[in-house]
Amino acid sequence: MNDVETAATEPGRDFIRDIIQADLTAGRHKGVVTRFPPEPNGYLHIGHAKSICLNFGAAQEFGGRCHLRFDDTNPAKEEQEYIDAIERDVRWLGFDWGKNLFHASDYFEQLYAWAEHLITTGFAYVDDQSQEEIRVKRGTLTEAGKNSPFRDRSVDENLDLFRRMKAGEFPGGARVLRAKIDMTSGNINLRDPVLYRILHASHPRTGTTWHIYPSYDYAHGQSDAIEGITHSICTLEFEDHRPLYDWFLDHLPVPSRPRQYEFARLNLTYTVLSKRVLTELVRGGHVNGWDDPRMPTLAGLRRRGVPAAALREFVKRIGVSKANSLVDVAMFEHAIREVLNASAPRRMAVLRPLKVVIENYPEGQTEELEAVNHPDDPAAGTRKIKFGRELYVEQEDFMENPPKKFFRLSPGQEVRLRYAYFITCREVVKNAAGEVVELLCTYDPATKGGNAPDGRKVKATMHWVSAKDSVAAEVRLYNPLFSKPSPDASNFAAELNPDSLEVLSDARIEPALTDASTDVPVQFERQGYFTLDADSKPGRPVFNRTVGLRDTWAKVQGAS
Ligand code: ATP
Ligand code: MG
């Protein structure tokens, strides 16, 4: 788990796709049918994106279909909000289930009938032991379980009790239906697993019709069989459940015979991918909702400005394997930068403004200069930006007493303002506290467009905006939500990064940015990629930093 994956496996091919290909070649299936089976008890995260891309992607590549199936077997935790969010997120990621939208709850009648079948054939019984007793008697990895005193009830008594459980005659948790398999099995999942529990709750789809709900293990494989799923792909923690998955199929008159395959789940540095923890982050107010741009949820990533194409590309590069690993989040950011570098329009914005007055530029005068929208794409065209006597530059682009290699603005040092002129700082204005508040500069009118006719060079090109013609904006910078590369999910609150959000409330942006939209990220030149946030108000745009320009992943790759 601890070695960070540095090399992507060959994209587009993996052991699951090899299995599907072999099955199709051998004629074991006419076509491939997969499913993505989320439980609607939270929002989808980037780990789910791996599963979605695999299930929908493989089905697409082999001309089959992928079902979206809600595993809605626990109404105590599931909500309509989550169902809606999951559908929206799968679509946004670029996949379409067409008519194939299903719910485990669509099969409640059939699953119930099959449970009676197991009772009738002597393979299931009603157990009156408490949850705690059941847990204790299940034994451990080294110690066999003990039979329940209710294990040998007659078929008639079991049927009677199970029907009364269904009718709602008993309080929640009073009894369960268990499969009768083997309390001494080396595989704990086969020690008489629970099939049904009593739960008096309202279900988003079936309302209060049911008083008993099937377990995940019992519902899942049978739902696969009903839908004719050929390859039921899940994560490695279900490997030990596979014998149970097969046991049900062996003991029930199911219409088809699916097979389960397991792959390694995605783990990312500085990230927790557990719905339980993500739910606690939201409920505990550690973040501002499921779509907080710091969250690894698809809703959060979308709001932050991450394109769906970058997620798909990332998932393709990490590949699918059976070995658990921890992927460096820098690899994800690298994919985001690649997609955005090619597509994002270039703009100028000053995040932490420092005023510049060009003393030899006429008062009241402005002029329009031409700026390119994308350096590698002439078709993206140009735009006009306004230059005037008063400008803003980035505070960090100025140093009063610079070290040797600082080539940006400092007293006496000439620099280029992008698309505009060469300027030189002549005087530094400070406030009473001694802080630099303004720079008095001169410009060289002969350098219009950013080149000197005498061929003299400057070592720095800086971004800037006009003071009068720029617009005030809020910019939100995001850092990792957790301060450790492998946060401990059981003690996550202690490992939250206190500096995960930095709000810059008086940034200045060029006017073209007032046309920005929440789904088209832009590059703020020299700063990174930014996306308009839904919190924006008329006259008060808010931008999220999607990702900075510096690429630590490229460095890692270059070094190896
Ligand atoms: P839980 O079961 O604790 O609610 P879950 O993350 O498994 O959490 P599900 O809704 O059951 O949530 O997941 C749907 C599908 O997504 C499952 O097939 C699951 O294996 C897969 N999945 C979940 N997390 C990851 C991950 N980190 N990487 C890859 N696949 C994942
Ligand atoms: Mg799950």
Side-chain angles (χ1 to χ4, degrees):
M1 264 285 286
N2 279 332
D3 44 332
V4 171
E5 221 166 78
T6 50
T9 49
E10 192 190 330
R13 204 70 214 182
D14 53 63
F15 77 98
I16 301 267
R17 286 171 167 91
D18 289 345
I19 289 169
I20 294 173
Q21 178 69 72
D23 285 347
L24 291 176
T25 307
R28 280 189 283 273
H29 303 290
K30 283 206 265 330
V32 54
V33 187
T34 58
R35 86 286 167 268
F36 173 65
E39 181 179 357
N41 62 351
Y43 278 54
L44 298 180
H45 54 61
I46 183 168
H48 294 116
K50 177 174 178 180
S51 177
I52 294 167
C53 290
L54 174 58
N55 279 293
F56 279 93
Q60 231 166 42
E61 287 153 38
F62 291 100
R65 63 176 197 271
C66 180
H67 298 182
L68 175 61
R69 184 200 311 142
F70 287 102
D71 167 30
D72 55 350
T73 51
N74 183 3
K77 286 197 180 159
E78 296 157 9
E79 288 172 28
Q80 189 62 40
E81 178 196 348
Y82 300 141
I83 296 179
D84 297 340
I86 289 169
E87 293 190 17
R88 186 162 62 235
D89 290 347
V90 174
R91 273 204 200 92
W92 172 73
L93 199 53
F95 298 102
D96 183 6
W97 52 88
K99 296 176 303 208
N100 301 303
L101 175 63
F102 302 103
H103 306 79
S105 58
D106 297 340
Y107 315 128
F108 279 176
E109 286 293 347
Q110 177 65 80
L111 292 170
Y112 176 81
W114 280 338
E116 286 208 352
H117 178 91
L118 287 175
I119 293 174
T120 314
T121 51
F123 286 110
Y125 62 97
V126 173
D127 195 343
D128 301 355
Q129 295 183 104
S130 69
Q131 237 182 333
E132 181 58 15
E133 281 171 307
I134 290 178
R135 195 186 58 75
V136 170
K137 286 203 193 152
R138 225 160 88 194
T140 63
L141 284 174
T142 53
E143 195 190 321
K146 293 195 183 68
N147 283 354
S148 162
F150 304 96
R151 199 171 194 262
D152 295 316
R153 275 179 160 149
S154 69
V155 167
D156 286 344
E157 189 184 1
N158 278 320
L159 267 184
D160 174 59
L161 284 171
F162 188 48
R163 287 174 183 167
R164 288 165 59 196
M165 281 168 65
K166 178 183 187 238
E169 285 187 28
F170 308 119
R175 294 187 156 89
V176 293
L177 183 74
R178 299 177 74 177
K180 195 174 189 173
I181 306 179
D182 179 5
M183 289 304 290
T184 67
S185 170
N187 183 335
I188 293 181
N189 294 299
L190 294 178
R191 294 184 190 169
D192 293 10
V194 171
L195 306 186
Y196 273 92
R197 58 215 186 285
I198 299 172
L199 186 63
H200 302 288
S202 180
H203 185 284
R205 293 180 60 84
T206 59
T208 51
T209 307
W210 292 88
H211 301 281
I212 54 174
Y213 288 92
S215 63
Y216 169 85
D217 278 324
Y218 178 60
H220 198 81
Q222 280 52 263
S223 303
D224 285 346
I226 293 168
E227 291 176 19
I229 301 299
T230 54
H231 300 78
S232 180
I233 306 166
C234 61
T235 37
L236 279 178
E237 65 274 22
F238 290 101
E239 197 165 14
D240 290 345
H241 295 237
R242 185 166 9 107
L244 179 57
Y245 183 98
D246 290 334
W247 186 92
F248 288 125
L249 298 176
D250 288 340
H251 290 79
L252 289 170
V254 289
S256 82
R257 181 78 199 198
R259 285 196 55 167
Q260 177 183 302
Y261 300 93
E262 307 87 16
F263 70 99
R265 64 195 295 121
L266 170 66
N267 301 296
L268 262 190
T269 56
Y270 298 98
T271 310
V272 173
L273 298 180
S274 145
K275 269 198 278 191
R276 180 187 62 76
V277 171
L278 298 183
T279 304
E280 288 182 46
L281 286 172
V282 173
R283 298 226 169 115
H286 301 286
V287 294
N288 301 315
W290 285 99
D291 68 346
D292 185 307
R294 292 169 293 178
M295 289 281 273
T297 52
L298 300 190
L301 295 170
R302 173 171 62 237
R303 182 166 172 188
R304 186 167 172 151
V306 173
L311 267 159
R312 292 193 301 266
E313 182 58 30
F314 168 66
V315 165
K316 194 159 135 194
R317 287 179 192 175
I318 56 175
V320 177
S321 85
K322 260 195 170 302
N324 273 317
S325 69
L326 181 62
V327 177
D328 192 332
V329 72
M331 189 172 166
F332 178 44
E333 294 179 350
H334 181 69
I336 301 171
R337 277 187 202 95
E338 268 192 8
V339 170
L340 292 183
N341 179 41
S343 65
R346 271 49 170 177
R347 298 288 182 257
M348 292 206 285
V350 174
L351 302 187
R352 298 172 185 88
L354 172 60
K355 188 126 181 220
V356 164
V357 177
I358 312 284
E359 291 184 296
N360 60 339
Y361 195 86
E363 301 238 15
Q365 180 175 314
T366 58
E367 67 186 295
E368 285 196 324
L369 302 166
E370 186 145 279
V372 302
N373 290 329
H374 198 293
D376 309 324
D377 179 13
T382 60
R383 67 190 186 285
K384 299 281 190 218
I385 49 173
K386 283 196 176 141
F387 188 83
R389 185 176 153 91
E390 299 197 349
L391 312 170
Y392 290 114
V393 297
E394 209 67 63
Q395 283 170 20
E396 64 178 21
D397 281 338
F398 172 79
M399 282 185 93
E400 192 175 12
N401 300 298
K404 247 201 169 108
K405 293 234 161 119
F406 186 84
F407 299 117
R408 289 168 277 162
L409 209 51
S410 60
Q413 184 153 278
E414 191 170 49
V415 300
R416 175 190 293 112
L417 292 183
R418 187 134 163 90
Y419 307 121
Y421 295 97
F422 287 9
I423 64 165
T424 307
C425 175
R426 305 292 174 189
E427 203 180 322
V428 178
V429 181
K430 293 181 184 173
N431 62 14
E435 296 157 346
V436 176
V437 291
E438 195 173 298
L439 304 177
L440 303 179
C441 302
T442 55
Y443 84 120
D444 177 353
T447 58
K448 183 165 179 170
N451 290 303
D454 62 4
R456 80 180 185 277
K457 297 273 182 263
V458 288
K459 284 207 167 121
T461 301
M462 290 167 30
H463 63 278
W464 56 276
V465 293
S466 147
K468 187 158 67 75
D469 293 296
S470 60
V471 176
E474 176 177 321
V475 173
R476 299 176 181 169
L477 305 181
Y478 303 105
N479 293 307
L481 192 50
F482 291 94
S483 38
K484 290 201 185 137
S486 303
D488 175 6
S490 60
N491 189 24
F492 70 90
E495 308 204 342
L496 283 167
N497 174 7
D499 302 316
S500 59
L501 169 64
E502 190 182 347
V503 178
L504 305 178
S505 48
D506 47 21
R508 305 290 306 187
I509 61 177
E510 66 165 283
L513 279 167
T514 56
D515 295 338
S517 76
T518 54
D519 50 7
V520 182
V522 292
Q523 186 193 90
F524 289 0
E525 292 203 28
R526 299 178 65 230
Q527 296 288 358
Y529 298 95
F530 292 77
T531 307
L532 191 72
D533 189 84
D535 280 349
S536 300
K537 306 245 162 20
R540 182 68 184 168
V542 177
F543 281 88
N544 297 316
R545 181 169 68 192
T546 310
V547 67
L549 282 185
R550 229 196 1 220
D551 194 339
T552 50
W553 179 248
K555 266 188 227 144
V556 171
Q557 291 292 82
S560 62

